[in-house]
């Protein structure tokens, strides 16, 4: 089982827009085509609640509140229990699913996401759960850097933030020029 892939589904969910059913369908990758086809309007509230709770896990991890991150993940594991089963069509296609046969799309997706993030926390610690340092972004990410120093969800956000800080420093370094139209005292 690829636990990192499951953990990344949790990241994808937290970062997704969930305004409507089309937004929800957009979170499913090509390997999850059956989920995209079966998901329904009734699944939206479940995904939205899970999205908020998973964001809390990232906020807890980022702020060093490990116990709260663990508590929330344990609660989510109870809500979306993992019930592993082997699936496939022939002996060359065996793979694992995280829920029992006939589980809803929300149960299948969320059990995998919560399980993946739980394994990630146990393996790397909650400090590896990040929230983008760019105030205009807010996306979450899994810190895979070698020294746990990542601060941004993407190179784009890092560059945008660094350019803005550079420009602010340049403006602060330039002495203010007197206004030529101001009256002389």
């Amino acid at each position: 089982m690829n636990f990192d892939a499951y953990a990344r589904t949790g990241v994808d969910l937290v970062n997704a827009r969930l305004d409507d059913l089309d937004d929800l369908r957009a979170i499913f990758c090509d390997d999850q085509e059956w989920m995209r086809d079966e998901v329904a309007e009734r699944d939206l509230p479940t995904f939205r609640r899970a999205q908020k709770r998973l964001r809390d896990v990232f906020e807890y991890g980022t702020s060093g509140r490990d116990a709260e991150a663990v508590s929330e993940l344990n609660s989510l594991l109870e809500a979306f229990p993992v019930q592993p089963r082997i699936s496939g069509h022939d002996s060359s296609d065996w793979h694992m699913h995280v829920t029992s046969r006939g589980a809803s799309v929300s149960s299948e997706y969320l059990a995998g996401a919560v399980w993946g993030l739980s394994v990630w926390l146990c393996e790397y610690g909650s400090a590896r759960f990040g929230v983008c340092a760019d105030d205009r972004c807010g996306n979450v990410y899994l810190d895979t850097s070698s020294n746990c120093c990542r601060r941004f969800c993407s190179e784009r956000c890092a560059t945008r933030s660094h350019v803005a800080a550079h420009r602010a420093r340049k403006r602060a370094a330039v002495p203010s020029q007197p206004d030529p139209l101001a009256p002389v005292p």
Side-chain angles (χ1 to χ4, degrees), residues 97-162:
H97 281 255
V98 294
T99 58
S100 61
R101 188 181 247 346
S104 68
V105 171
S106 58
S107 293
E108 179 89 20
Y109 186 93
L110 296 171
V114 172
W115 178 251
L117 290 172
S118 298
V119 170
W120 182 273
L121 182 139
C122 291
E123 184 74 20
Y124 304 108
S126 70
R128 294 289 186 153
F129 292 167
V131 178
C132 188
D134 186 338
D135 294 335
R136 296 164 286 186
C137 179
N139 280 344
V140 301
Y141 59 89
L142 297 170
D143 185 351
T144 58
S145 67
S146 60
N147 56 359
C148 195
C149 65
R150 188 169 167 188
R151 295 182 42 237
F152 299 96
C153 69
S154 66
E155 286 296 320
R156 181 175 181 241
C157 282
T159 300
R160 184 174 55 203
S161 183
H162 293 130

Side-chain angles (χ1 to χ4, degrees), residues 1 11 24 36 57 70 73 81 85 98 111 119 127 147 158 164 174 177:
M1 273 180 112
V11 170
L24 179 55
R36 188 173 32 241
V57 169
V70 167
L73 282 172
R85 68 181 169 89
V98 294
V119 170
N147 56 359
V174 174
Q177 301 291 325

Side-chain angles (χ1 to χ4, degrees), residues 1-171:
M1 273 180 112
N2 185 345
F3 296 114
D4 286 354
Y6 278 116
R8 282 179 177 60
T9 64
V11 170
D12 293 344
L13 174 59
V14 174
N15 292 338
R17 289 186 51 191
L18 292 179
D19 294 334
D20 57 31
L21 189 55
D22 288 334
D23 289 342
L24 179 55
R25 285 188 174 125
I27 70 170
F28 301 112
C29 65
D30 291 340
D31 292 346
Q32 301 164 324
E33 185 177 344
W34 72 270
M35 289 184 184
R36 188 173 32 241
D37 294 342
E38 289 185 24
V39 73
E41 193 77 35
R42 69 180 177 279
D43 294 309
L44 262 171
T46 303
F47 274 90
R48 286 178 181 144
R49 284 189 301 273
Q51 180 185 49
K52 192 239 176 273
R53 292 179 71 186
L54 288 173
R55 175 168 287 284
D56 289 344
V57 169
F58 278 86
E59 297 281 346
Y60 297 147
T62 300
S63 61
R65 300 183 312 189
D66 291 359
E68 285 135 309
V70 167
S71 177
E72 188 62 36
L73 282 172
N74 279 333
S75 178
L76 285 162
L77 284 168
E78 288 178 26
F80 303 102
V82 175
Q83 300 171 333
R85 68 181 169 89
I86 300 171
S87 184
H89 304 290
D90 59 48
S91 61
S92 66
D93 186 31
W94 298 126
H95 58 278
M96 295 296 293
H97 281 255
V98 294
T99 58
S100 61
R101 188 181 247 346
S104 68
V105 171
S106 58
S107 293
E108 179 89 20
Y109 186 93
L110 296 171
V114 172
W115 178 251
L117 290 172
S118 298
V119 170
W120 182 273
L121 182 139
C122 291
E123 184 74 20
Y124 304 108
S126 70
R128 294 289 186 153
F129 292 167
V131 178
C132 188
D134 186 338
D135 294 335
R136 296 164 286 186
C137 179
N139 280 344
V140 301
Y141 59 89
L142 297 170
D143 185 351
T144 58
S145 67
S146 60
N147 56 359
C148 195
C149 65
R150 188 169 167 188
R151 295 182 42 237
F152 299 96
C153 69
S154 66
E155 286 296 320
R156 181 175 181 241
C157 282
T159 300
R160 184 174 55 203
S161 183
H162 293 130
V163 167
H166 172 73
R167 289 180 179 156
R169 285 191 305 274
K170 273 182 86 171
R171 278 192 304 273

